[in-house]
Amino acid sequence: MKFVAVIRQVPDGESRLKVQGGRVDLSGATLILDQMDEYAVEEALRLKEKHGGEAVVVGFGPERTEEAIRTALAMGMDRGVHVVYEGYADPVTAAEALAPVLREEAPSLILTGGQQADWDSQALGGALAEALGVPVVAWTTVLELEGATAKAKHDLDEGAEWVRVPLPAVFTTQQGLNEPRYPTLPGIMKAKKKEIKKVAFAGNPRVEILEEGIQEKARLGKVLDGKDPVQAAEELVRLLHEEAKVI
Amino acid sequence: MVLVVLDHDGSKLRKASLEALTRARQLAEALGEKVAGVLLAEGPAPVEEARGYVEVLYVAELGPYTAEKWAAALLEAAKGGAKAIVAPSSRQSRTYLGRVAYALKAGLLEDTLESAAEGGMVHATRYAYLNRVTQRQRAPLPVVLTVKANTTPLAEPLGTQGEVVPLAVPPVPTVEILERVQEERKGVSLAEANVVVTGGRGMGSPEAFKGVEELAALLGGAVGATRAVVDAGWRPYAEQVGQTGKTVQPSLYIALGVSGAVQHLAGMNKSKFIVAVNKDPEAPIFKHADYGIVGDVHQVLPALIQAVKRLKD
C-alpha cells in the first residue's frame, strides 16, 4: 500500500512575526514542518510499519519547503515530492496544484493536517478529496486499516463518530491521533540521500491577499496581588462589573 | 442568487445562522441578487422558522452528516447559478465547503470577520497565523464564504413565508457512519458562549473543575480546558480551547491555572476581556490579560464564586 502525507512549512507559533509593506515578512521567523501535518507524517509511517508498502511525503510551497520535506524524510518517510509554488495559495488552488501528483502516486490514503498554522485554513482536506473524487474524514483521532477500507474515529463540531470509509480517501489529522517521533541522527543522515522530486506549478490563486497586519489587542494588564484572595476576588469582580462591564 | 446555509439543532436555527443570513443579505444587496436559504437536515428541521427569513428555502433531508452529502446537496442548490454561498463557520462547514469550492472553482474565504461585495469582487477580513494576524482578502465571483461566530448582527425575519423547494440530491459515495459518540453538554456551547471559564493544569485535579463549572454557570458561560488538561483525561476533548481545539471569542475569558502557551493563546487571544488567575507572576498568560490575580487558584476561585454571588444578589 502507499501512504501519502501532504505537508507545508510554516512559521513556528512561538516565533515573532513582523509585517513589511502590509504583508507578513517571514525572513526572521523560525520555519518548521506544520505541527498538524506532523501528525499526518507520523500516521503514514505507522501505517507503513504495520501494513508494509511505501510512505511518501508531498510538500507544497516555496523552495524553502524542502527543509520541511527533509524533516519528514528524517522521520522515516521513503521519498518526497515537492510541488514548488511561491506565495499565498487558497485551498482550491493548492488542491489543483497537488491533484496531478496525487493522481499519479495513487496512494490508498492521503493524510494532511486539520488546520494550517500560517493561513489558518481548514479546507485543504476537503478540496483535495473533491479534486480526487474520494471521501474525506476530517479531524481524525483514530485510524485503522481493514483491507480495502479504513475505520476511523473523528471529531464533529459536537461530539465524535466512528466511520468506515472505502479507500482511497483523504484524512485530516490532529492532536490525539498519535505522538510524532523526532528525527534521529541516522534518520537525518539518511534523509540527505533520499529523493525529492520537484514539480513546478504555475496556477493563479483565486483568493488574493491585499493586506496583513499584526493587530494584537492592547491589554490592560491590571494584575492584583492574591495574598488576600477574598479581597482580590472582590476587587476583580468590581472591575469586571464597573470598568469592563462584562458581568 | 446568494445561497445561505442555515445551521440548526433539529428544532431551531442556530444564532450563527442568523449572522450568516445578515452577511448573505449584505452581499445579495450589493450584487443585486436574491437570497435563498439551504436547510440541510438529518431528520427534523425548523422549516417553518427558516422560511420566515428567505424568499426561497431549499430543504434536503440527508440522514447523518457527511461532508460528501452536504457538499452534494449544496452543489445541487447552487445549480441555478449561485454567485456566493455563505455559511456559519464550523469545522464541518470548513470541510464540506472545501469540496464545494473546489467543485465550483470558487474562491474560498474562511472564517471571515467582515465581508463586502465591490466591483465584481468579494472582500473579506479574517485572522491568520494562529489568530495573530488580520488579513484582508478578495476573490472574484463565485465565492464561498464562512462567517466567524459572534462577528455579525443577527438577521430579522422578513415577515413573509418563503417558498419551500425540496432538493433532490443524487446519492454520493461517502463514509459509512458506525457509531455516534455524543458530547455531554451542560449549559451553553463553547463556540457561542459570551463567557468562557477555562481551567488549566494549575487546577491540579479533575475534582477542582467543580469550581470552574460553578463559576461558568453563575456567569451564564461555558467551561473550557487546556490541552494539558484534556491530555490528562480530566476533561473531554470537546472543551479544549486552542490551536488543536476550539477557537473562542467571548466578551469575557477567564483562565484559571493556565500558563498561556502559544497554542492555547491561538484559541482565545481575540476575546474582548481576558482574566488570568495563576500563582506564577511570570506566567505568559499575564502578558495577554486585562485583569489578573497572582494567587493560589484553590483559594481565589471559591472567593470569586462568592463575590459573583454577592454581586448578583
Side-chain angles (χ1 to χ4, degrees):
Chain A
M1 293 185 105
K2 194 190 279 185
F3 309 100
V4 163
V6 173
I7 63 134
R8 294 184 53 255
Q9 189 195 38
V10 297
D12 188 325
E14 307 268 355
S15 70
R16 261 211 170 314
L17 290 178
K18 58 178 192 235
V19 166
Q20 288 277 0
R23 294 296 297 271
V24 170
D25 172 11
L26 293 177
S27 57
T30 309
L31 296 163
I32 56 167
L33 167 59
D34 194 327
Q35 287 173 309
M36 284 272 190
D37 296 340
E38 244 181 48
Y39 298 113
V41 171
E42 177 63 35
E43 200 62 18
L45 290 170
R46 288 184 187 202
L47 288 168
K48 183 202 152 182
E49 282 158 6
K50 197 164 170 189
H51 302 280
E54 193 183 24
V56 181
V57 52
V58 176
F60 176 74
E63 276 300 336
R64 59 175 166 76
T65 304
E66 192 174 316
E67 297 160 21
I69 297 171
R70 290 277 172 215
T71 303
L73 293 174
M75 286 168 75
M77 300 295 276
D78 296 310
R79 61 185 169 84
V81 181
H82 181 184
V83 181
V84 184
Y85 180 75
E86 291 288 338
Y88 168 76
D90 57 276
V92 172
T93 304
E96 280 175 341
L98 289 158
V101 171
L102 295 172
R103 265 195 289 268
E104 195 185 317
E105 293 284 346
S108 301
L109 276 91
I110 295 157
L111 303 140
T112 195
Q115 176 170 343
Q116 304 169 335
D118 52 356
W119 303 330
D120 287 14
S121 174
Q122 298 183 358
L124 183 60
L128 279 178
E130 185 68 22
L132 301 172
V134 301
V136 57
V137 177
W139 301 101
T140 313
T141 51
V142 183
L143 181 53
E144 294 155 7
L145 286 193
E146 294 179 335
T149 64
K151 192 175 156 189
K153 189 182 180 192
H154 75 131
D155 289 327
L156 299 166
D157 284 303
E158 285 169 63
E161 67 186 8
W162 282 95
V163 297
R164 183 174 289 125
V165 55
L167 299 177
V170 174
F171 298 82
T172 78
T173 55
Q174 62 161 328
Q175 171 216 345
L177 178 61
N178 55 45
E179 275 300 322
R181 67 196 68 186
Y182 292 102
T184 58
L185 192 58
I188 293 166
M189 299 309 288
K190 269 193 219 160
K192 290 184 178 164
K193 295 194 191 103
K194 287 180 183 171
E195 178 204 350
I196 298 179
K197 184 177 148 192
K198 297 275 181 179
V199 178
F201 174 71
N204 273 326
R206 275 164 194 75
V207 180
E208 181 191 354
I209 296 179
L210 299 173
E211 193 180 10
E212 290 173 320
I214 296 169
Q215 292 171 19
E216 296 282 3
K217 186 173 182 289
R219 295 290 172 185
L220 301 173
K222 292 190 181 174
V223 180
L224 310 166
D225 188 339
K227 272 199 199 76
D228 182 340
V230 174
Q231 200 193 336
E234 287 289 346
E235 175 63 5
L236 177 61
V237 168
R238 188 191 68 79
L239 287 167
L240 292 176
H241 181 61
E242 291 174 12
E243 190 177 272
K245 297 182 167 55
V246 283
I247 61 173
Chain B
M1 185 170 60
V2 172
L3 286 179
V4 55
V5 183
L6 300 171
D7 282 352
H8 58 95
D9 64 7
S11 62
K12 61 180 190 340
L13 295 180
R14 292 189 195 280
K15 212 177 92 197
S17 297
L18 305 186
E19 293 189 59
L21 261 160
T22 299
R23 293 279 202 91
R25 285 179 185 171
Q26 289 166 352
L27 289 181
E29 194 183 343
L31 296 169
E33 297 278 331
K34 282 188 161 55
V35 175
V38 185
L39 201 56
L40 307 177
E42 284 200 39
V47 175
E48 285 311 310
E49 184 192 359
R51 66 191 292 208
Y53 285 91
V54 288
E55 289 171 52
V56 177
L57 180 68
Y58 294 106
V59 180
E61 205 174 300
L62 299 165
Y65 163 82
T66 73
E68 288 70 40
K69 285 192 289 185
W70 258 236
L74 260 180
L75 289 170
E76 196 61 34
K79 270 189 179 162
K83 294 272 198 309
I85 298 177
V86 181
S89 188
S90 69
R91 286 185 158 190
Q92 283 168 214
S93 74
R94 291 170 76 183
T95 303
Y96 68 75
L97 291 173
R99 295 202 80 112
V100 170
Y102 190 93
L104 298 174
K105 298 285 190 255
L108 179 59
L109 303 165
E110 287 174 79
D111 218 21
T112 62
L113 306 161
E114 293 169 328
S115 47
E118 204 183 298
M121 289 275 186
V122 173
H123 291 245
T125 56
R126 65 188 298 269
Y127 298 129
Y129 294 89
L130 303 177
N131 261 347
R132 293 192 291 168
V133 164
T134 305
Q135 208 173 52
R136 279 206 302 123
Q137 299 185 326
R138 74 171 177 195
L141 301 172
V143 296
V144 175
L145 181 144
T146 72
V147 177
K148 189 177 176 68
N150 303 322
T151 58
T152 310
L154 306 185
E156 299 288 338
L158 294 178
T160 52
Q161 295 287 288
E163 180 198 356
V164 176
V165 181
L167 273 180
V169 182
V172 285
T174 186
V175 302
E176 175 196 353
I177 294 161
L178 303 173
E179 187 194 343
R180 275 278 169 91
V181 185
Q182 287 303 330
E183 189 168 291
E184 199 189 328
R185 199 167 97 190
K186 294 175 193 155
V188 283
S189 84
L190 196 51
E192 291 182 357
N194 203 35
V195 176
V196 174
V197 186
T198 288
R201 193 70 148 163
M203 294 306 299
S205 70
E207 292 71 37
F209 276 81
K210 284 258 181 298
V212 179
E213 285 178 359
E214 192 179 349
L215 183 59
L218 271 174
L219 297 171
V223 172
T226 62
R227 175 177 173 169
V229 160
V230 173
D231 279 354
W234 295 356
R235 300 298 295 186
Y237 168 73
E239 290 179 0
Q240 188 178 312
V241 174
Q243 187 188 356
T244 57
K246 293 198 168 107
T247 301
V248 298
Q249 195 176 351
S251 296
L252 175 60
Y253 189 87
I254 302 180
L256 304 167
V258 173
S259 62
V262 169
Q263 289 77 5
H264 184 72
L265 295 172
M268 48 63 89
N269 60 9
K270 299 296 177 191
S271 301
K272 194 167 170 204
F273 285 96
I274 295 173
V275 171
V277 178
N278 200 302
K279 64 176 186 235
D280 177 9
E282 302 299 318
I285 189 79
F286 285 119
K287 287 198 189 73
H288 302 271
D290 294 288
Y291 302 102
I293 296 178
V294 177
D296 181 352
V297 73
H298 301 293
Q299 294 173 1
V300 174
L301 177 53
L304 267 177
I305 290 168
Q306 290 312 315
V308 172
K309 277 185 181 162
R310 268 195 294 277
L311 178 72
K312 299 217 156 192
D313 283 346

